Amino acid sequence: QVQLEESGGGLVQAGGSLRLSCAPSGDTFSRYFTGWFRQAPGKEREFVAVITWSGGPTYYEDSVKGRFTISRDNAKNTVYLQMNSLKPEDTAVYYCAAKRLPVLGTYQSGSNYDYWGQGTQVTVSS
């Protein structure tokens, strides 16, 4: 059973940066599609970004394109979400999610992922 652990959340001013990390226990991350989702208070969970296999494509939600970067470090068995130019509307609990290769389905749909972390809070002040 794979367990995911996120870290790196916190409080930052608008325009600042944070880097979230997601590491699994129990398996090698390179065997998984890995995505980030977020949920703001009173809102539904939404897709943020996903990374496929090593060297494979990445996809982003439109509002974070050009500001967020998802990446994978296979040596550290970790997936990162680098968040730059943060805005107050980025405030949410961010969740890491994963599904073993080779098939994911619609990457924006959280129901297609099998494993989830506990979430890490990101708060952007104006």
Side-chain angles (χ1 to χ4, degrees):
Q1 182 75 10
V2 173
Q3 294 184 327
L4 306 180
E5 183 171 353
E6 304 101 333
S7 61
L11 173 64
V12 64
Q13 289 188 332
S17 298
L18 284 174
R19 188 178 75 164
L20 306 184
S21 300
C22 177
S25 60
D27 207 340
T28 302
F29 231 0
S30 62
R31 301 172 182 167
Y32 291 81
F33 297 97
T34 308
W36 287 95
F37 289 75
R38 65 186 180 186
Q39 188 166 20
K43 295 187 177 181
E44 294 187 353
R45 182 180 62 194
E46 66 172 356
F47 166 78
V48 176
V50 64
I51 188 165
T52 56
W53 49 91
S54 296
T58 57
Y59 302 96
Y60 298 90
E61 193 269 331
D62 286 345
S63 69
V64 308
K65 285 180 181 177
R67 299 188 299 123
F68 290 11
T69 302
I70 189 170
S71 62
R72 183 194 301 277
D73 185 334
N74 288 336
K76 295 183 178 180
N77 204 28
T78 300
V79 169
Y80 302 100
L81 183 69
Q82 178 67 44
M83 306 185 295
N84 298 329
S85 302
L86 283 162
K87 304 176 181 180
E89 52 263 43
D90 293 319
T91 295
V93 177
Y94 283 70
Y95 297 90
C96 176
K99 182 179 172 70
R100 194 176 178 92
L101 293 168
V103 177
L104 174 60
T106 304
Y107 58 80
Q108 302 98 323
S109 176
S111 62
N112 288 330
Y113 295 79
D114 295 325
Y115 305 102
W116 291 83
Q118 80 288 351
T120 184
Q121 176 71 46
V122 171
T123 303
V124 184
S125 63
S126 57

